[in-house]
Amino acid sequence: MVDLHVHSNCSDGTYDPGRLPQLAQTLGLAGIALTDHDTTIGNDEFLAAARALGMPAVAGVEISAEYTNPDSQRADDGEMHILGYFPRWDATTPASLTPLATMRDNRHVRNPLILERLRALGVAISYDDVCRHAACDVVGRPHIAAVLLHKGYVKSIQEAFDRYIGDHAPAYVPKRILPQRTAIEMIVHAGGVAVLAHPRTLRVKSMPTLATLLAPLCAYGLAGIEVYYAAHTAHESEQYCALAARLGLLITGGSDFHGAHKPELKLGCGFGNLCVPDECFTTIMHYQQRPQALNPDEYPISNKE
Ligand code: AMP
Ligand code: FE
Ligand code: FE
Ligand code: ZN
């Protein structure tokens, strides 16, 4: 089995990217992908470590995109996550992903606003402390939660989210994220494979609704669905798998491992019963992007003359 959804301390995980291939090998995984939020900064270290061990590995990213749940009555600040996999990763790839740097910079505007709200609630922590808990420049709520835990304001990371910084908690401030089209096209233009992450989190009530949501994404270049995921039930995975087949999308899967930030979630097996087939890894590695204009009959008339 493989794990194609893994975070390092370059975003909100706790393992160094260079340690993850070793952990995967110890667990007997046949492949692993690093998919940090909004950054590819750990990818070279991750791939070098994997290469040294002979561990099959793919470089990736997880990008937050705008989302409104069509089945929800309230206008909440939804997010859709798009995974990008780069089978032919090289040092020049990140250049096409520069909008991610803007997203990371925006976090340094948003985080102090969260701390201001916390102060109004009687919780005083410093932004220096928060940044010290982050290894790289994707600084966010998990690092704020870690400081709240260390300072004794809460007894667990979960309590920090429930009481203070969760999506519907009093100190929450939304972050700036990308339009869906930008997120997907950025991955495609960088030579990557774009995959819809954990479709369960879109909270739609039916598969036809999900199919409708996916139609424009496929037009932008979406190539796959994360069918296997730690929090998916077997029934949900079956439904996503059937939808992927119907739409001609490839299937992937992963645990969403975050190390000690989500201690109950294990690399490879998720909550204990996740099993992502090896083919998900090989399919990504062998994926060839469809040429932009495949069929001359589809060219606009002016191009034919
Ligand atoms: P941010 O990008 O700064 O908004 O932080 C988002 C991250 O916080 C997610 O990727 C999760 O790792 C974590 N997170 C969000 N909501 C919760 C929650 N309710 N409980 C625990 N972790 C959460
Ligand atoms: Fe995360
Ligand atoms: Fe995600
Ligand atoms: Zn993730």
Side-chain angles (χ1 to χ4, degrees):
M1 74 196 212
V2 296
D3 193 337
L4 302 177
H5 190 152
V6 176
H7 297 274
S8 79
N9 59 14
C10 290
S11 65
D12 57 352
T14 54
Y15 278 79
D16 283 336
R19 277 191 62 206
L20 288 164
Q22 169 87 68
L23 183 59
Q25 194 168 59
T26 307
L27 294 172
L29 298 186
I32 178 176
L34 179 66
T35 54
D36 270 317
H37 294 282
D38 310 335
T39 188
T40 57
I41 206 149
N43 286 2
D44 286 326
E45 182 186 339
F46 168 75
L47 289 177
R51 216 174 294 119
L53 293 168
M55 179 72 207
V58 61
V61 68
E62 181 175 20
I63 303 178
S64 300
E66 295 160 0
Y67 173 65
T68 306
N69 179 0
D71 287 340
S72 171
Q73 299 304 323
R74 67 178 175 200
D76 47 8
D77 309 295
E79 272 191 30
M80 167 185 281
H81 289 179
I82 306 291
L83 294 159
Y85 297 105
F86 302 94
R88 291 163 293 282
W89 176 270
D90 64 67
T92 60
T93 306
S96 345
L97 299 172
T98 44
L100 297 182
T102 311
M103 288 177 77
R104 296 195 295 271
D105 291 346
N106 284 335
R107 287 174 170 278
H108 295 297
V109 177
R110 175 226 199 187
N111 293 328
L113 297 177
I114 296 179
L115 297 198
E116 257 176 46
R117 288 193 173 214
L118 283 172
R119 246 185 303 278
L121 295 166
V123 174
I125 59 172
S126 82
Y127 195 40
D128 281 350
D129 270 353
V130 173
C131 290
R132 264 196 291 278
H133 273 80
C136 298
D137 64 345
V138 182
V139 186
R141 288 184 289 163
H143 311 106
I144 295 173
V147 175
L148 291 177
L149 180 62
H150 267 79
K151 297 274 180 193
Y153 285 108
V154 293
K155 293 195 168 55
S156 67
I157 297 284
Q158 196 52 54
E159 187 189 345
F161 278 91
D162 293 345
R163 272 181 70 189
Y164 293 115
I165 57 175
D167 290 6
H168 303 289
Y172 176 70
V173 176
K175 65 175 182 241
R176 301 251 318 257
I177 52 181
L178 295 174
Q180 294 170 5
R181 179 175 193 155
T182 310
I184 292 173
E185 289 187 345
M186 199 162 62
I187 293 164
V188 173
H189 292 158
V193 184
V195 173
L196 174 68
H198 39 65
R200 166 187 241 264
T201 59
L202 300 181
R203 304 180 311 279
V204 295
K205 293 204 175 101
S206 76
M207 285 302 117
T209 308
L210 184 56
T212 307
L213 280 175
L214 286 181
L217 308 190
C218 293
Y220 307 147
L222 189 82
I225 302 181
E226 188 174 50
V227 164
Y228 305 102
Y229 185 68
H232 287 169
T233 64
H235 179 63
E236 284 168 336
S237 291
E238 269 169 35
Q239 287 187 305
Y240 300 139
C241 194
L243 185 62
R246 187 153 75 74
L247 299 176
L249 295 170
L250 59 82
I251 67 180
T252 72
S255 65
D256 213 351
F257 180 67
H258 281 72
H261 282 159
K262 294 187 182 173
E264 66 292 350
L265 203 52
K266 308 295 179 207
L267 187 69
C269 66
F271 295 114
N273 52 4
L274 181 71
C275 184
V276 183
D278 296 3
E279 295 75 52
C280 293
F281 182 91
T282 42
T283 307
I284 286 174
M285 294 311 281
H286 296 135
Y287 183 81
Q288 296 294 326
Q289 269 181 13
R290 290 170 207 159
Q292 289 295 313
L294 249 188
N295 178 356
D297 291 330
E298 288 172 8
Y299 289 172
I301 299 294
S302 57
N303 284 2
K304 275 187 177 168
E305 290 166 356

